[in-house]
Amino acid sequence: MFELLGIIAAGGASAIGYVRSRDFVQRRLRFVEAAQRPSTPLIAGAAATVIAAPVVAVLPIIGAGSALLFGIAVGAGTRAGARRVRRTLTPGY
């Protein structure tokens, strides 16, 4: 029972991290050149993993893989947001 709650919590946090990071890059970082670099999703994902690690260590239901999954989702959301910005700002596509 607790394993299922942990999977649901990890999946929910990852989905929220993906959507929020994608929207943040798309709305707020639209004209920031550094957000378009190829290394930006890796940095965002690593930072999210490091920030989520202490929270995961305190919660007994969620494991360490949840922080890693959250970091991957944030990195993927950052990449998707940057791709959407490039697509909307580039004429002819």
Side-chain angles (χ1 to χ4, degrees), residues 24-40:
F24 183 78
V25 170
Q26 188 176 354
R27 286 184 296 114
R28 302 276 181 143
L29 300 179
R30 174 174 289 171
F31 299 112
V32 178
E33 189 66 32
Q36 302 301 322
R37 292 185 190 154
S39 62
T40 302

Side-chain angles (χ1 to χ4, degrees), residues 18-80:
Y18 176 83
V19 171
R20 298 279 303 217
S21 64
R22 184 192 66 200
D23 291 342
F24 183 78
V25 170
Q26 188 176 354
R27 286 184 296 114
R28 302 276 181 143
L29 300 179
R30 174 174 289 171
F31 299 112
V32 178
E33 189 66 32
Q36 302 301 322
R37 292 185 190 154
S39 62
T40 302
L42 296 173
I43 295 169
T49 302
V50 168
I51 291 171
V55 175
V56 169
V58 173
L59 297 174
I61 296 174
I62 310 173
S66 300
L68 186 61
L69 184 64
F70 178 71
I72 291 170
V74 168
T78 303
R79 184 171 183 231

